Amino acid sequence: MSTPAKSTPGGPLVAIGGAEDKTSEAEILRRVLSLSKKEAPVVGVITTASSVPDDVFGEYHEVFSGLGASEVLDIRIRERSDAASEQFVEMIRNSDIVFISGGDQMRLTNILGASPAMETIRAGHQSGTVIAGTSAGAACQSQTMVYGGPATDSLRKGAVQMAAGFGLVDGIIIDTHFLERGRFSRLMEVGATNPEYLGVGLGEDAAVLFEGDVMRAFGPGHVIIVDSSQISGSNVFELSDGEAVTVHNVIMHALVDGYGFNLKDRRVLGPEELRTEGLEHWVANS
Amino acid sequence: MSTPAKSTPGGPLVAIGGAEDKTSEAEILRRVLSLSKKEAPVVGVITTASSVPDDVFGEYHEVFSGLGASEVLDIRIRERSDAASEQFVEMIRNSDIVFISGGDQMRLTNILGASPAMETIRAGHQSGTVIAGTSAGAACQSQTMVYGGPATDSLRKGAVQMAAGFGLVDGIIIDTHFLERGRFSRLMEVGATNPEYLGVGLGEDAAVLFEGDVMRAFGPGHVIIVDSSQISGSNVFELSDGEAVTVHNVIMHALVDGYGFNLKDRRVLGPEELRTEGLEHWVANS
């Protein structure tokens, strides 16, 4: 088969496709909160990816407070020196949930990469802190991340722009706003260039929870799995940059709330197999 | 397996994904011309789908004339009475190539359906006339056609709007502007509701030529095949309208110029199998 895709050992890791509901049922954010052990958890919000951190923090402050967070911390890391600041590191250390907002994933990896803040996030993840990210904050969770490429047709050699991410999940490439921006061809090109990587396309208001080999879908939106491990042919290595890529036998799955995927066996898991009621009480059942 | 997908017996049938190049190489339109037996063929252009027939006809007149058509006929059918007019029927009868422009496919089926003009197109097809259509003019070629549904996420029960098309190909649903408008989820929903139907998603400036069981891709763009015959599960029949559809094990292929697909065996055909040089001399080799 292929390199096993899995999340690194640690606490709950949640990737959200962007534009999650913050004003109505807030289904996804509510569940993110419920994944912590605490009745009234402390949520640290990292807005590094965003160019409008005031607005973004304000929104999350309101929704997380409304959902029962005891505190919502403004971890306002804007440049690399901030990512070394003991003040922000301490905020991350005190968070039961670290929530990484959307924006530009390259800002995230550039500013947080190899920083004390990132070390603290990683240590928190290993000791059970909930790590959640939306849009750019989700895309950066994989070891190799997608950060650009035209939605209009990325099946052109070299069209998909990739860079190194934070590596909280292995063997997976996460893409976001997936159905809404028609990004299927991005993950098809990723699969053509390396069939070992499993593509996880998160729609808006859709999320996945990684637990070891299992990935659970939740929220109102769709999660599309792009499995290229069985591809039977492609011309990608024969092409020059910009030429049209052919790729055959890509397997896709559309998952919705209650369904999951076994990353090791590359197999869809139905609700009965998943006992989805466990999702809201992740720690208790794990 | 499933209902065999195939084109009805007859002359060359070409479906184009829209926005084909008309001003540079005009690769697709050039090949459409070459599919007729004639040195200087007569091209009849049907602009019924369009709300700006003057502009559309003008463009095609220019490009087809430039490519060597002896005549480009303005088959200006705007309403059902026009579709019964002997003048237009005669134009269709005199065309070596009938070219159906883009616009609204519902106008096409509403105005041309069960008309003398349509009968004449069908008879022409059976006797070897080249029939080609772009965008709406391509979507209408299938027996069941897609005419609407949000590109942002059509994997919601009832989101894809379908109606009866002209049925020049069986067992296939054609969608257009496919990569550019991110319409993958439309054909995934079609496949979930009826796995017998093979989805053919035509990118812009991409085309397919149907010849019996074989479909050949040509042009600079991509052709995406969405094969749902192997799907292993879906919740679609349990849902109410608007609820999110899950579907597992959809097989996709991205084809480019020179590749093809065997509609009966649902198998990709490589360039060596297709002897692509035959494409430009379709009639001579058939």
Side-chain angles (χ1 to χ4, degrees), chain B residues 71-90:
Chain B
E71 266 191 286
V72 183
L73 307 175
D74 187 0
I75 309 178
R76 192 165 296 225
I77 296 171
R78 303 303 300 161
E79 42 192 279
R80 285 192 66 80
S81 59
D82 298 332
S85 132
E86 184 50 37
Q87 180 202 354
F88 292 134
V89 165
E90 191 60 23

Side-chain angles (χ1 to χ4, degrees), chain A residues 151-156 179-185 188 204 220-222 224 232 234-235 238 243-256 259 268, chain B residues 151-156 179-185 188 204 220-222 224 232 234-235 238 243-256 259 268:
Chain A
T152 52
D153 181 0
S154 289
L155 273 166
R156 304 263 162 196
L179 294 91
E180 296 75 9
R181 300 192 188 168
R183 289 176 164 172
F184 288 76
S185 64
M188 286 178 86
E204 295 183 353
H222 278 99
I224 306 288
S232 52
S234 176
N235 63 351
E238 298 162 1
E243 288 186 321
V245 174
T246 179
V247 54
H248 316 140
N249 216 49
V250 179
I251 299 167
M252 297 210 192
H253 313 281
L255 306 183
V256 299
Y259 286 77
V268 173
Chain B
T152 53
D153 181 1
S154 289
L155 273 166
R156 304 263 162 196
L179 293 92
E180 296 75 10
R181 299 191 189 169
R183 288 176 165 173
F184 288 77
S185 64
M188 287 178 85
E204 294 183 353
H222 279 99
I224 307 288
S232 52
S234 176
N235 63 351
E238 299 162 0
E243 289 187 319
V245 174
T246 180
V247 55
H248 316 140
N249 217 49
V250 179
I251 298 167
M252 296 210 191
H253 313 281
L255 306 183
V256 299
Y259 285 77
V268 173

Side-chain angles (χ1 to χ4, degrees), chain A residues 37-60:
Chain A
K37 291 176 184 178
K38 306 293 172 62
E39 269 293 300
V42 175
V43 182
V45 177
I46 296 179
T47 52
T48 307
S50 176
S51 57
V52 287
D54 282 334
D55 299 353
V56 170
F57 179 75
E59 278 187 317
Y60 285 111

Side-chain angles (χ1 to χ4, degrees), chain A residues 8 81 113-114 132 136 144 168 176 193 209 215 225 228 243 270:
Chain A
T8 54
S81 58
T144 304
L168 299 172
T176 60
T193 57
L209 166 64
M215 190 180 71
I225 308 290
S228 302
E243 288 186 321

